[in-house]
C-alpha cells in the first residue's frame, strides 16, 4: 500500500474514533458484553474511565479500570504499523506488557465473578 493512501486510511480511522468518543460521551451506552454474559471483560469500565479522564479525574479512572491507559498506547502502535521504535525488543516488550496486563485483569475478573477461589 502506498504512503498517501495509508495515511488517508489512518486519518479516516482517527475521524471514526473521534466520532465514537463523541457518541459515548453524549449517549453513555451500557456495556454490551456485561449485559449479555453477566460478567465483565477486561474493558468493562473503560468507557467510564475515559469519561473520568476527559473530566480530569484520573484517580477515579484508575479505580474504574486500571487498564484504560492501554488504549492510547495501542492506537499509537497501530498508527505506526505496530513498529514505532527501531528496536524490535522495545516494540515487542510494550505489546506483551499490555497483553499480560489484560490477561491478569481478565483472570482476576474470572476468579472474582465465578468464585473459583
Amino acid at each position: 500500500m502506498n504512503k498517501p493512501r495509508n495515511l488517508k486510511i489512518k486519518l479516516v480511522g482517527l475521524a471514526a474514533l473521534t466520532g465514537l468518543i463523541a457518541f459515548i460521551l453524549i449517549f453513555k451506552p451500557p456495556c454490551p458484553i456485561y449485559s449479555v454474559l453477566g460478567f465483565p471483560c477486561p474493558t468493562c469500565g473503560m468507557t467510564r474511565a475515559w469519561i473520568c479522564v476527559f473530566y480530569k479525574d484520573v484517580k477515579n479512572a484508575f479505580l474504574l479500570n486500571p487498564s484504560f491507559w492501554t488504549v492510547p498506547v495501542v492506537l499509537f502502535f497501530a498508527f505506526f504499523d505496530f513498529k514505532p521504535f527501531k528496536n524490535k525488543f522495545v516494540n515487542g516488550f510494550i505489546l506483551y506488557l499490555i497483553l499480560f496486563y489484560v490477561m491478569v485483569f481478565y483472570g482476576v475478573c474470572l476468579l472474582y465473578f465465578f468464585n473459583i477461589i
Side-chain angles (χ1 to χ4, degrees):
M1 198 182 304
N2 58 18
K3 292 201 181 255
R5 183 165 185 223
N6 196 9
L7 181 62
K8 287 179 185 177
I9 290 171
K10 289 177 182 179
L11 291 176
V12 168
L14 187 62
L17 180 65
T18 304
L20 178 66
I21 290 171
F23 174 80
I24 289 170
L25 288 174
I26 293 169
F27 296 108
K28 297 179 180 136
C31 176
I33 294 174
Y34 186 76
S35 299
V36 172
L37 299 176
F39 64 91
C41 67
T43 60
C44 271
M46 185 97 45
T47 304
R48 290 173 286 151
W50 275 104
I51 289 171
C52 287
V53 168
F54 289 135
Y55 287 108
K56 300 175 187 161
D57 189 6
V58 178
K59 179 183 174 187
N60 280 333
F62 272 105
L63 292 174
L64 288 167
N65 190 332
S67 64
F68 76 92
W69 59 270
T70 59
V71 172
V73 173
V74 170
L75 290 175
F76 174 77
F77 270 78
F79 192 78
F80 289 103
D81 297 324
F82 294 95
K83 298 175 191 170
F85 304 108
K86 291 182 181 179
N87 188 336
K88 290 180 183 179
F89 176 76
V90 173
N91 289 331
F93 178 75
I94 293 173
L95 289 176
Y96 281 119
L97 183 66
I98 292 169
L99 179 66
F100 175 74
Y101 187 80
V102 169
M103 288 173 50
V104 168
F105 181 80
Y106 192 59
V108 169
C109 284
L110 287 176
L111 289 174
Y112 178 74
F113 284 97
F114 291 117
N115 296 323
I116 295 173
I117 56 172

